[in-house]
Amino acid sequence: MSQRHLLCAISMVLALATTGCDPSGDAGAPAPDSDRVRVALVMKSLANEFFIDMAAGAEAHQAANADSYELLVNGIKNESDLAQQVALVEQMMASQVDVIVIAPADSKSLLPVVARAVNQGITVVNIDNRFDRDLLRGMGLTIPFVGPDNKAGARAVGTYLAQHLQAGDQVAIIGGIPSAFNAQQRLEGFQAAMTAAGMEIVSVQSADWEQAKAAAIAAAILSEHPQLTAILAANDSMALGAVAAVRQAGKQGQVKVVGFDNISAANDLVQSGAMLATADQHGRDLAVFGIEYALSALATGAAPADKKTPVDLIIKGEQ
């Protein structure tokens, strides 16, 4: 990190202390691009509303602090396009960015290219989906994770669902990409809540975070298990697919659906009663949390450490 960039990072931290994340704040006249910290945000699928909101939040934050840092926003076509996400990291390395804030599509597969970025002197902050901690240790890497406790969030959603069921009821879980840490944590949270409440988990399948795939899986589960009372989906895109399958089967009111992320379409369904609950991990702010953390680390030289961010249960009457 150059002395010039370090001074810019320090000024950024001071600005954040007074302006926070308010996009209406007066950022002053922008400095030349070469004098600003260059931050790359590398996300997962921009077809997912969650990541569209994340990008919008980051762009609003940068606009409010335009004199302090540049922002390059990147995303992949779908959640499982690991090769494209690797290519994006390589492009950011070639562009000689100072910071990469990344929501990895996979908890292990992205680590080799991220290690190269770290060795190049780039500050890397992990958001949304945690890198595999054992593999990090084995590679001698220390990359901070800034994000929510996915297991706790999923368990809160599952616990609320259980309050609307009877012990022994049949439920199904539709999970995300199995190799993703957040998918694993949400699955564990759902399973813990259902087991504690005495529910019968009749099916656990992965829909890779995708709405259409979740709809097909949910339709098959509903056909195979006519006594099913609930579907727990590990993100809201898959929950939307499950809701569509429940409607197609004519089982509205009989089969409850819960999700995770609180995207606007899912929140609308929760408020209307078509979904029972979801979890809000404040996706619009998640990249901002990571960016602020990275800029502070550059300015202070503090040792990397994980930072927990909020996750809240969303039910009808609560936005």
Side-chain angles (χ1 to χ4, degrees):
M1 184 68 186
S2 69
Q3 182 68 23
R4 180 189 65 214
H5 285 156
L6 180 58
L7 291 173
C8 289
I10 292 171
S11 68
M12 176 60 189
V13 174
L14 293 175
L16 291 175
T18 56
T19 64
C21 298
D22 181 3
S24 65
D26 182 5
D33 289 355
S34 60
D35 289 335
R36 295 184 290 173
V37 175
R38 303 186 74 227
V39 177
L41 173 60
V42 179
M43 297 174 294
K44 292 188 280 184
S45 174
L46 291 180
N48 186 331
E49 183 184 331
F50 178 77
F51 293 104
I52 295 173
D53 288 345
M54 182 185 291
E59 288 166 348
H61 183 270
Q62 191 277 334
N65 299 278
D67 58 338
S68 301
Y69 77 99
E70 293 180 65
L71 179 66
L72 292 78
V73 176
N74 305 274
I76 54 180
K77 183 176 180 180
N78 59 63
E79 300 273 2
S80 59
D81 195 350
L82 299 178
Q84 179 59 27
Q85 200 172 45
V86 169
L88 287 175
V89 173
E90 291 175 334
Q91 290 171 20
M92 295 304 98
M93 292 167 61
S95 298
Q96 297 184 327
V97 298
D98 303 301
V99 172
I100 294 177
V101 175
I102 182 168
D106 185 90
S107 295
K108 296 181 178 180
S109 300
L110 270 293
L111 277 176
V113 71
V114 167
R116 285 162 47 205
V118 171
N119 290 336
Q120 185 175 303
I122 297 172
T123 296
V124 177
V125 174
N126 174 203
I127 62 171
D128 179 56
N129 178 34
R130 184 193 290 269
F131 284 126
D132 185 272
R133 285 174 286 190
D134 291 337
L135 189 54
L136 278 172
R137 282 192 293 269
M139 297 175 70
L141 291 174
T142 303
I143 296 174
F145 175 71
V146 177
D149 185 331
N150 282 275
K151 184 175 180 178
R155 183 157 190 166
V157 171
T159 299
Y160 182 76
L161 169 64
Q163 295 170 8
H164 295 76
L165 303 176
Q166 300 294 323
D169 279 354
Q170 294 184 354
V171 302
I173 300 173
I174 299 179
I177 294 175
S179 59
F181 183 80
N182 58 348
Q184 297 165 6
Q185 289 290 286
R186 293 176 195 178
L187 175 59
E188 289 181 17
F190 284 155
Q191 289 175 322
M194 293 299 94
T195 299
M199 305 303 164
E200 180 186 0
I201 303 174
V202 296
S203 180
V204 177
Q205 298 188 50
S206 171
D208 298 334
W209 306 123
E210 296 178 10
Q211 181 174 339
K213 189 171 182 178
I217 289 173
I221 293 172
L222 288 165
S223 176
E224 185 177 353
H225 300 282
Q227 301 305 311
L228 194 77
T229 61
I231 298 173
L232 301 90
N235 80 348
D236 281 343
S237 291
M238 297 188 298
L240 296 180
V243 169
V246 168
R247 286 175 173 167
Q248 184 66 29
K251 293 194 172 185
Q252 304 97 311
Q254 300 175 45
V255 179
K256 295 174 175 57
V257 177
V258 297
F260 199 110
D261 280 343
N262 196 34
I263 64 174
S264 61
N267 188 280
D268 289 344
L269 292 179
V270 171
Q271 302 313 317
S272 72
M275 270 178 66
L276 183 66
T278 186
D280 188 358
Q281 58 172 322
H282 305 277
R284 185 175 176 86
D285 298 325
L286 196 51
V288 173
F289 294 148
I291 291 168
E292 291 184 343
Y293 182 98
L295 293 171
S296 177
L298 285 175
T300 64
D306 293 347
K307 179 179 179 180
K308 187 180 292 187
T309 60
V311 57
D312 299 307
L313 175 68
I314 300 297
I315 60 176
K316 188 173 184 178
E318 297 181 8
Q319 299 292 323

